[in-house]
Amino acid sequence: MTSVSIGRNPDNNVVVNDPNVSRYHCRIDDNGNGNFFIHDMNSTNGTYVNGQRIYGTAPLRVSDVVKIGDTILPWPGYFNNDNYDRTDVRTVKAPNYSSQQYQQPQYQQPQYQQQPVGDKPGNFLAWSILSTIFCCLPFGIAAIVNSAQVDGRWSRGDYEGARSAAHKARVWFWWSFALGLVGGIIYLIYIIVVGAAAYSY
């Protein structure tokens, strides 16, 4: 698989000198079977395919128009144009095509509906609330905050963001549970010691 990272930062594979482009804006992957995928890397101004903003990952066809900031990317050339050096793609600079210079094709471009890869993750909200009440309050609150983001991100098409929030919610829950368990054990030992001391007295 070949991946090309795109953005303003000099260590990207393709450097775009556009103030409306993020430092690490997006990435395009070629899986080697003629299938291309574009990934928005949480850019500030978004990544657009055929005029539609994409969130997370979306498929690409060679005829699709990719725009970031005010720049139209000649992205097929990054993979199959002999003028590009595949051994060091970082030497390639994306031309600064403005939207006025670009001529929209006369035919209607198909619109892609981004589809999730895999099932929706559980939001872990109930467990997060229980850990807040019975275990460790600060860590439980952190778990609740991340749990509350899962459904919203998934509904907006930010599937990777939803999975990340679900993962963080689980991590905070387990930390809260572990601290609560340790605290409970310490408290139990304290009660036993105090009870034994009182009995012996």
Side-chain angles (χ1 to χ4, degrees):
M1 183 176 74
T2 303
S3 296
V4 175
S5 62
I6 303 168
R8 284 190 295 108
N9 214 57
D11 62 353
N12 282 287
N13 298 128
V14 174
V15 181
V16 181
N17 297 316
D18 183 334
N20 293 317
V21 170
S22 297
R23 294 172 62 246
Y24 299 97
H25 199 102
C26 64
R27 188 182 80 247
I28 300 177
D29 295 336
D30 175 6
N31 68 359
N33 297 321
N35 298 316
F36 298 93
F37 298 90
I38 187 167
H39 311 266
D40 182 81
M41 301 171 72
N42 296 321
S43 61
T44 301
N45 294 316
T47 299
Y48 293 81
V49 177
N50 301 326
Q52 299 292 320
R53 183 168 183 172
I54 64 111
Y55 296 90
T57 301
L60 276 181
R61 295 194 320 170
V62 175
S63 58
D64 287 341
V65 179
V66 176
K67 181 181 179 183
I68 59 174
D70 296 321
T71 300
I72 301 294
L73 297 178
W75 68 269
Y78 305 154
F79 298 94
N80 58 14
N81 190 325
D82 291 338
N83 293 328
Y84 289 84
D85 181 4
R86 295 178 184 81
T87 61
D88 185 7
V89 200
R90 287 174 296 181
T91 60
V92 181
K93 300 264 182 166
N96 246 354
Y97 297 117
S98 68
S99 56
Q100 290 77 17
Q101 292 171 323
Y102 179 77
Q103 299 298 318
Q104 183 72 20
Q106 298 302 311
Y107 57 89
Q108 181 66 33
Q109 290 279 3
Q111 301 298 318
Y112 286 105
Q113 179 65 37
Q114 184 186 357
Q115 296 297 324
V117 179
D119 297 328
K120 175 185 172 183
N123 58 27
F124 233 64
L125 183 58
W127 290 107
S128 300
I129 293 173
L130 290 174
S131 69
T132 303
I133 297 172
F134 297 108
C135 298
C136 177
L137 180 64
F139 287 4
I141 291 176
I144 290 176
V145 169
N146 283 280
S147 297
Q149 296 177 6
V150 175
D151 292 344
R153 291 189 175 189
W154 189 270
S155 63
R156 293 194 302 270
D158 184 9
Y159 305 122
E160 291 303 319
R163 292 191 181 93
S164 175
H167 173 72
K168 291 177 181 178
R170 287 194 297 271
V171 170
W172 283 114
F173 161 76
W174 283 114
W175 273 109
S176 177
F177 177 79
L179 288 178
L181 183 61
V182 170
I185 292 173
I186 293 174
Y187 180 73
L188 180 61
I189 293 173
Y190 170 78
I191 293 297
I192 293 173
V193 171
V194 170
Y199 178 79
S200 62
Y201 177 77

